[in-house]
Amino acid sequence: MPERPYTLLSCAISIDGYLDDASDTRLLLSNEADLDRVDGVRAGSDAILVGAATVRSDNPRLLVRARDRREARVARGLPPSPMKVTVTERGKLDAGSHFFADDHTEKLVYCPSDIVAEARDRLGSVATVVDGGQRVGMGWLSADLHTRGVSRLMVEGGGTVLTQFLGEDLADELHLVIAPLLVGDSRAVRFVENGRFPWSQERRATLAEVRRIGDVVLMRYALSSRFR
Ligand SMILES: NC(=O)c1ccc[n+]([C@@H]2O[C@H](COP(=O)([O-])OP(=O)(O)OC[C@H]3O[C@@H](n4cnc5c(N)ncnc54)[C@H](OP(=O)(O)O)[C@@H]3O)[C@@H](O)[C@H]2O)c1
């Protein structure tokens, strides 16, 4: 099997398991203290991956926010923030979104071969567009990131991407934050979609830590023997 980065999945959900509500505005699930914890996890990563729908709907910057963390990375010979990675089937991403800002981070866009030319036209000036073959598999993408020097990958969602990493047994660690609210709308995006997952009654994941952070709770799960 090709080598892949140590992979940490991170997201915040409502009590009823949603990543967002069904409205056009982003639902705030985390609190400031938890966002700061996430910032620390980002700072310890080589790359951050989100799905194209998250780039479109949340317009995230995906940068390390704290100055001391950025400086510590630079002192270690790293860019201030990790590489940003996204994956798209259709390539309909806006080159003007925060993800592609001129912010001293490397950006990669993985897409299927049939839209590579179109994606390069649209995004080639702001990112490296990578031909992911007929269908971009997350196992292949992970291995490719490893060849590009990524040894620690943070996957920040959304549900479609998290589902693939979990379903394909490509994750080593899960940080699941539960916010004290319910969404109650099945049109919203769930943390995981339907699928077959390696963890079941027979193979339970290992709960490594439970931490209260203000009004949210963080659960850290060890998902592989590489967990550390
Ligand atoms: N609470 C949290 O922690 C958190 C974190 C992140 C996101 N979110 C929320 O999650 C929602 C988005 O989640 P989502 O499940 O709809 O979408 P997503 O996982 O962010 O992105 C899905 C999109 O990624 C692309 N994609 C996924 N797998 C692919 C593959 N194997 N090959 C090629 N392209 C692939 C496709 O892009 P194209 O459509 O471009 O073809 C697909 O439509 C948003 O509401 C966001 O606010 C919440």
Side-chain angles (χ1 to χ4, degrees):
M1 253 222 273
E3 266 201 89
R4 62 169 179 81
Y6 184 88
T7 302
L8 186 155
L9 313 186
S10 169
C11 66
I13 59 171
S14 60
I15 291 173
D16 51 348
Y18 290 101
L19 286 172
D20 195 1
D21 60 20
S23 73
D24 290 340
T25 52
R26 184 180 182 176
L27 176 69
L28 287 179
L29 289 156
S30 234
N31 58 35
E32 268 310 310
D34 186 55
L35 289 173
D36 185 59
R37 176 195 63 81
V38 171
D39 196 57
V41 179
R42 277 187 185 166
S45 305
D46 299 313
I48 302 172
L49 168 68
V50 294
T54 295
V55 174
R56 285 191 292 266
S57 70
D58 294 1
N59 195 16
R61 291 177 200 279
L62 300 178
L63 297 172
V64 173
R65 293 193 307 179
R67 200 162 99 189
D68 56 337
R69 293 186 181 120
R70 290 198 307 267
E71 286 173 356
R73 284 181 56 94
V74 171
R76 282 168 30 225
L78 300 170
S81 285
M83 176 193 287
K84 301 189 215 176
V85 184
T86 192
V87 57
T88 177
E89 188 94 47
R90 297 170 295 144
K92 306 278 185 245
L93 285 164
D94 178 359
S97 58
H98 292 324
F99 182 96
F100 298 110
D102 183 10
D103 56 15
H104 310 290
T105 64
E106 192 179 345
K107 288 117 192 154
L108 296 183
V109 177
Y110 286 86
C111 66
S113 308
D114 58 355
I115 65 141
V116 164
E118 186 192 327
R120 285 196 180 132
D121 278 350
R122 190 188 288 253
L123 304 167
S125 61
V126 289
T128 303
V129 175
V130 183
D131 184 341
Q134 219 176 352
R135 186 188 171 274
V136 187
M138 294 302 158
W140 180 87
L141 179 152
S142 299
D144 188 71
L145 284 175
H146 193 268
T147 66
R148 294 171 191 268
V150 174
S151 40
R152 232 183 131 82
L153 171 66
M154 180 180 187
V155 181
E156 292 206 41
T160 310
V161 166
L162 293 169
T163 300
Q164 292 170 73
F165 274 86
L166 288 167
E168 294 167 36
D169 208 354
L170 293 168
D172 300 295
E173 181 170 349
L174 168 65
H175 291 187
L176 187 63
V177 163
I178 302 200
L181 56 96
L182 286 95
V183 169
D185 184 345
S186 60
R187 290 171 305 168
V189 176
R190 284 177 50 200
F191 154 49
V192 274
E193 298 168 354
N194 293 346
R196 286 171 63 85
F197 299 98
W199 301 279
S200 62
Q201 187 171 270
E202 290 74 37
R203 183 184 166 202
R204 291 160 76 101
T206 304
L207 181 61
E209 184 189 350
V210 177
R211 197 190 314 166
R212 179 182 179 152
I213 306 172
D215 66 351
V216 305
V217 60
L218 163 69
M219 292 182 288
R220 274 177 75 217
Y221 289 94
L223 300 182
S224 83
S225 56
R226 303 207 299 178
F227 175 82
R228 53 179 188 258

